[in-house]
Amino acid sequence: YDMNCSYMRKLRQHVGNNDFLNFPKDQEIVPGIGIWHVHGHQPQCFTRYAPLYIEGAGWINEEV
């Protein structure tokens, strides 16, 4: 269950190979996994990807 991990590893490559998408090379992308879903990952993923630990991330009720 590492879809986000795999996605983020190749995101810049996929965007770079696309004629219609781009973002600045210095653009920071902070990946996150919803709190309900992050529990399906390895324990070390929780503090890395849970919105609770991402500065500036919001929190909403009933997130699925």
Side-chain angles (χ1 to χ4, degrees):
Y1 193 72
D2 67 349
M3 185 181 295
N4 190 47
C5 302
S6 297
Y7 182 84
M8 291 308 297
R9 265 196 300 270
K10 298 202 178 227
L11 178 62
R12 288 193 184 274
Q13 176 185 342
H14 289 302
V15 171
N17 293 335
N18 190 300
D19 293 333
F20 302 102
L21 300 174
N22 64 54
F23 50 76
K25 291 183 186 213
D26 61 341
Q27 175 71 48
E28 181 183 7
I29 299 173
V30 180
I33 302 172
I35 198 70
W36 190 82
H37 296 280
V38 78
H39 292 289
H41 290 249
Q42 298 176 6
Q44 63 267 30
C45 292
F46 187 77
T47 55
R48 184 172 181 185
Y49 295 115
L52 295 169
Y53 298 99
I54 298 173
E55 184 177 344
W59 180 264
I60 60 171
N61 289 329
E62 301 176 19
E63 179 264 326
V64 176

